Amino acid sequence: MKIAIASGKGGTGKTTLSTNLASYLSEKNKVVLVDLDVEEPNSGLFIKGNLIYEEEKFKMIPKWVQETCTLCGNCQKVCNFHAVIQLGTMILVFPELCHSCYACSELCPTGSLPMTSKKMGDLKEYKKDNLSFIESKLVIGEEQAVPLIHQTMKYVDEKFGNDAIKIFDSPPGTSCPVIEATKDADFVLLVTEPTPFGLHDLKLAIETMKELKKDFGVIINKSGIGNNNVEAYCNEEHIPVIAKIPNSRKIAELYSSGSLLYNEIKEVKKELIKIEDFILRLKETK
Amino acid sequence: MRIAFTTKGKEWSSEMDARFGRTEFFIVYDEDKDQIEILDNSDSTKDAHGAGPKTAQKLFELKADVLITGNGPGGNAATVLEKTGMQIYVGAGEMTVKEAYEAYKDGKLKKF
């Protein structure tokens, strides 16, 4: 069972929901929480467990061998990402732009662009009772989140069976990293806030999930601020609003100290129970 | 000297384009021949990534000695341009091409 927690807009509460939901569900279930926001993972601020595994993650990039290169220009022509540039008698490789497709390397007639490995990030696994927490983080300067997200999901797939509830804290937005983080999910929870910005970006996220043919529902966070347009929109479009987490100063205070909410605030727990019911019903049908 | 400008149009009176990688056009003024060449760079809008180095490579093929632009090239493009030894002047993003050329001649533009 794979649940992705995503949003169009940033800062709507993906991590707040992911960490609280994962921790709460792990009281009765085997749960894996995976922070896929590899550019700036922050679930780890709220989940403190024992580090039980860590591994460096690599991607493959071409390296130019000047001695055998005939400067035919094939590599530059086949690269869709302008990661290989021919400049007179030089070939320049931009590792951050490279998508590891191997085209330049495979199509080089003299084998002058062998693929070599480059570190892109670190994966760490923590354990706290019934909760496994996986976090991957890009190294500074690395631009591409997708390869690390992909390798992290592969790690989770290989390590944990289908009996566990897997919660994927996804990056914000609707671009490639979000697609990668949500494409294998059985269900996507879209977290939004009841503001014009929240609704605008929610619509983009919904459009994306429809394109991916995903089942999804909406969680309204900071309920009570803004207006009712998000809910009206969801009703009109027949999109389930699964829970509404209230806006409160106490929540912000707990969040800012890295604490989980549901044991302190009963309204939050009540909403988590609604999500739990929804997920367990979903689990039976999958 | 061959001087390249990042521009939004094809005339001396055109506005400069502050961007490098995704500039709409280049105007290259060959001072010795007193001639202008135009390069349409609008296909750079199709590139999700890597517009900078690609544009820098095109500029290299235009054999420009000097680049006059607005914000200045980003990291990847700067890496390419550095290898070409091209002189780069920035801060002309709000000018017309003519004004930018005059500012360059008067030494009023900042070197990148």
Side-chain angles (χ1 to χ4, degrees):
Chain A
M1 179 83 191
K2 293 179 180 172
I3 308 279
I5 296 184
S7 74
K9 188 180 172 300
T12 55
K14 287 178 298 301
T15 298
T16 305
L17 179 67
S18 301
T19 52
N20 280 278
L21 183 64
S23 182
Y24 170 68
L25 289 174
S26 75
E27 289 176 0
K28 297 180 211 153
N29 306 274
K30 191 176 167 194
V31 177
V32 186
L33 171 64
V34 191
D35 196 341
L36 292 179
D37 192 2
V38 299
E39 287 173 84
E40 41 190 354
N42 59 353
S43 288
L45 296 173
F46 304 92
I47 303 291
K48 311 277 187 292
N50 295 320
L51 180 66
I52 59 164
Y53 182 75
E54 109 183 83
E55 134 178 60
E56 292 183 302
K57 288 294 188 186
F58 297 88
K59 71 174 193 179
M60 301 301 285
I61 54 159
K63 189 172 188 297
W64 183 45
V65 182
Q66 185 174 7
E67 292 70 27
T68 51
C69 174
T70 59
L71 298 168
C72 70
N74 259 359
C75 47
Q76 167 175 280
K77 256 181 257 151
V78 300
C79 183
N80 272 335
F81 303 98
H82 310 312
V84 185
I85 295 283
Q86 182 176 3
L87 205 62
T89 57
M90 268 184 295
I91 303 290
L92 303 178
V93 176
F94 292 92
E96 287 77 21
L97 295 173
C98 175
H99 285 55
S100 308
C101 77
Y102 284 64
C104 62
S105 188
E106 295 286 325
L107 295 170
C108 175
T110 59
S112 301
L113 283 164
M115 298 299 276
T116 55
S117 63
K118 176 176 185 281
K119 185 180 170 181
M120 63 173 166
D122 295 284
L123 178 151
K124 290 180 180 168
E125 179 179 347
Y126 300 85
K127 182 98 179 128
K128 186 189 172 197
D129 306 321
N130 257 339
L131 177 63
S132 294
F133 169 50
I134 320 285
E135 175 197 83
S136 282
K137 188 188 271 185
L138 283 175
V139 294
I140 291 171
E142 191 58 48
E143 291 176 25
Q144 284 179 52
V146 172
L148 185 56
I149 293 173
H150 181 78
Q151 288 193 27
T152 306
M153 296 185 73
K154 193 161 167 255
Y155 174 84
V156 173
D157 273 346
E158 284 167 5
K159 173 127 194 205
F160 300 95
N162 275 333
D163 55 320
I165 300 174
K166 297 168 188 165
I167 295 176
F168 297 95
D169 186 4
S170 307
T174 52
S175 64
C176 299
V178 180
I179 309 293
E180 188 68 25
T182 54
K183 69 178 190 195
D184 289 337
D186 297 306
F187 196 85
V188 182
L189 295 173
L190 295 173
V191 188
T192 189
E193 57 180 39
T195 63
F197 286 128
L199 179 58
H200 177 271
D201 288 4
L202 175 67
K203 285 179 180 170
L204 295 176
I206 287 172
E207 210 178 303
T208 309
M209 290 310 131
K210 282 184 174 164
E211 186 73 30
L212 290 174
K213 299 188 170 57
K214 288 285 141 193
D215 291 326
F216 59 89
V218 167
I219 311 274
I220 298 176
N221 189 23
K222 303 181 205 171
S223 178
I225 64 167
N227 56 38
N228 288 325
N229 292 349
V230 166
E231 222 173 335
Y233 173 78
C234 290
N235 289 339
E236 224 166 84
E237 297 287 316
H238 306 291
I239 296 161
V241 175
I242 299 162
K244 291 194 268 183
I245 299 167
N247 183 55
S248 95
R249 185 180 171 90
K250 179 80 179 147
I251 290 179
E253 281 170 7
L254 287 166
Y255 174 89
S256 68
S257 66
S259 307
L260 294 174
L261 309 172
Y262 61 92
N263 282 328
E264 311 281 338
I265 300 177
K266 63 177 192 308
E267 290 85 355
V268 172
K269 189 160 189 173
K270 211 174 91 189
E271 297 306 306
L272 290 181
I273 292 169
K274 286 186 197 167
I275 303 171
E276 177 188 32
D277 289 346
F278 186 89
I279 289 174
L280 294 180
R281 271 203 310 274
L282 203 66
K283 204 172 176 212
E284 278 165 25
T285 62
K286 294 278 169 186
Chain B
M1 286 288 230
R2 285 171 64 80
I3 304 168
F5 300 85
T6 56
T7 67
K8 292 179 180 169
K10 305 175 184 178
E11 318 281 339
W12 272 111
S13 58
S14 300
E15 280 174 59
M16 292 285 287
D17 195 325
R19 302 167 303 171
F20 174 74
R22 295 176 197 278
T23 181
E24 286 178 55
F25 297 96
F26 279 107
I27 290 181
V28 181
Y29 176 50
D30 191 317
E31 286 182 310
D32 304 334
K33 295 183 191 155
D34 194 22
Q35 275 175 4
I36 276 184
E37 286 168 42
I38 311 288
L39 176 79
D40 187 337
N41 191 47
S42 55
D43 63 350
S44 65
T45 54
K46 284 189 256 146
D47 292 321
H49 306 278
K54 180 73 193 298
T55 301
Q57 198 255 352
K58 285 186 206 164
L59 193 56
F60 169 76
E61 285 172 2
L62 282 175
K63 298 184 170 58
D65 304 299
V66 176
L67 165 67
I68 296 176
T69 184
N71 303 333
N76 287 329
T79 304
V80 177
L81 292 171
E82 195 187 323
K83 307 258 183 208
T84 68
M86 203 177 298
Q87 295 177 57
I88 305 170
Y89 292 89
V90 296
E94 303 290 311
M95 302 177 188
T96 64
V97 182
K98 187 166 178 286
E99 287 164 353
Y101 180 64
E102 284 161 3
Y104 159 70
K105 278 300 189 194
D106 294 343
K108 287 179 182 160
L109 293 180
K110 200 175 146 212
K111 202 153 187 199
F112 182 70

